[in-house]
Amino acid sequence: MALDATASGVFPIAPTPFHPDGRLDEASLGTLIDGYLKAGSTGVTVLGIMGEAPKLEPEESIAIAKHFVKGFGKLPVIVGVSAPGFAAMRALSRTVMENGAAGVMIAPVPSLRTDDQITGYYRQAIEAIGADIPFVIQDYPLTLSVQMTPKVIRQIVQENPSCVMLKHEDWPGLEKISTLRAFQAEGSLRPISILTGNGGLFLDFEMERGADGAMTGYAFPDMLVELVKLQKAGKRDEAHDLFDAHLPLLRYEQQQGVGLAVRKYVMMKRGFLASDAQRKPGSALSAKAREEIDYMLHRLQRAVT
């Protein structure tokens, strides 16, 4: 199914499972898919920043996308296609769409600085991949160093009818969500889905500002699903209570440089992955860090049972 502006719920950002020797772990792709579906995910995003996409061979990227499309059935699969050049972006975009992906996600290259450069980049990217492919803007200034104002995002959306979603990862960014929804209310911005990232660290209030759900890789996708449901049902206190129980681990996962190692370790402990290995170059957890994570998991289990 093609991605559209009504998309909501939780689209986990999938890590790429590897064997300790760096080979792609296809068996863990299956357990990862099963885990996401059991958690109640409404879609999934693969080959994102936390999916170690730059470390993959082109054939591996396509194989991963195919695995998820087959495993998720009628549920939408978004594929990250960001690349330094448009030729590679076009090749991957067209291939994954031909194999059943619902849409693609495009991040700006870090060299963009002015508003005109940003809007021009997206205009050229869509010319390259084709205006028939639904796409997601990835707004992640903390990592990509590209600052997109609400007006710039509005311009990209209005100029490109194939833009159906914003992956919102600005920090602080609550006011940006409110501004975009105000644009929509006044009629200067057409409807667009907003899913949020940042590991879910602000999801409790992002939902209240008008987000449609989450697109992030926190190691408890089942919590993200439940929180979104609670907020949509108007059960504010219950949603915040659930969020508060997970906050220590959410915070720990946000450490620069070791965040993916933390996430993969927890997902291994939970049975989503057979190994917490990253393809080199990658970070590793010390014995002390693993002990700290185990302690947080123990405390979390007590809090939610």
Side-chain angles (χ1 to χ4, degrees):
M1 60 177 291
L3 191 70
D4 62 33
T6 66
S8 64
V10 174
F11 284 57
I13 291 282
T16 301
F18 296 109
H19 291 288
D21 63 3
R23 290 178 296 117
L24 184 65
D25 182 359
E26 295 192 7
S28 283
L29 286 173
T31 58
L32 190 57
I33 291 168
D34 290 343
Y36 284 148
L37 293 174
K38 185 178 179 181
S41 304
T42 50
V44 70
T45 301
V46 301
L47 308 184
I49 292 174
M50 296 300 281
E52 300 177 73
K55 303 177 188 178
L56 298 171
E57 297 289 341
E59 313 83 55
E60 292 176 318
S61 298
I62 294 167
I64 290 168
K66 286 181 176 179
H67 268 285
F68 276 90
V69 168
K70 181 178 180 181
F72 266 68
K74 294 182 178 181
L75 296 177
V77 176
I78 299 171
V79 180
V81 297
S82 304
F86 291 135
M89 185 186 295
R90 173 181 170 79
L92 181 56
S93 297
R94 303 307 301 186
T95 300
V96 297
M97 293 301 293
E98 289 167 3
N99 283 277
V104 302
M105 182 165 67
I106 302 173
V109 293
S111 60
L112 304 178
R113 286 295 174 266
T114 70
D115 292 352
D116 286 346
Q117 287 174 341
I118 297 167
T119 55
Y121 177 82
Y122 275 95
R123 200 177 303 120
Q124 292 176 39
I126 304 319
E127 288 175 2
I129 69 171
D132 57 323
I133 296 180
F135 79 94
V136 180
I137 303 170
Q138 184 171 15
D139 180 21
Y140 194 10
L142 273 74
T143 291
L144 301 172
S145 75
V146 177
Q147 298 289 338
M148 288 192 237
T149 67
K151 289 183 179 180
V152 165
I153 292 170
R154 178 174 62 181
Q155 183 176 342
I156 295 169
V157 173
Q158 296 299 95
E159 288 183 353
N160 300 282
S162 56
C163 181
V164 297
M165 179 185 290
L166 169 69
K167 186 188 180 188
H168 170 276
E169 295 192 272
D170 206 345
W171 182 352
L174 295 174
E175 298 302 331
K176 180 179 281 189
I177 297 174
S178 293
T179 300
L180 290 169
R181 289 309 190 203
F183 287 162
Q184 187 177 325
E186 72 185 21
S188 67
L189 175 67
R190 60 181 172 80
I192 187 171
S193 172
I194 299 177
L195 300 186
T196 63
N198 278 322
L201 195 58
F202 303 97
L203 182 59
D204 51 344
F205 286 109
E206 286 168 337
M207 290 298 300
E208 297 177 13
R209 293 295 190 110
D212 295 297
M215 185 193 291
T216 191
Y218 179 52
F220 281 79
D222 37 344
M223 182 280 276
L224 301 174
V225 169
E226 183 63 18
L227 191 151
V228 168
K229 287 180 178 178
L230 289 170
Q231 285 284 26
K232 288 185 175 182
K235 299 180 179 180
R236 187 185 195 192
D237 287 345
E238 291 181 43
H240 283 273
D241 288 344
L242 175 63
F243 179 85
D244 291 349
H246 284 261
L247 187 53
L249 187 58
L250 283 164
R251 179 191 62 182
Y252 202 91
E253 223 188 51
Q254 286 295 308
Q255 296 178 91
Q256 290 294 318
V258 297
L260 179 59
V262 174
R263 183 170 295 172
K264 280 194 160 185
Y265 177 70
V266 175
M267 296 187 84
M268 179 185 68
K269 296 273 290 187
R270 300 195 71 206
F272 283 82
L273 303 172
S275 168
D276 62 348
Q278 297 174 54
R279 184 169 280 181
K280 296 179 181 179
S283 58
L285 297 175
S286 66
K288 182 62 177 177
R290 289 173 184 255
E291 183 275 326
E292 289 167 346
I293 297 166
D294 291 342
Y295 175 69
M296 284 184 287
L297 290 173
H298 174 69
R299 286 177 58 83
L300 177 59
Q301 185 177 19
R302 288 193 313 174
V304 299
T305 55

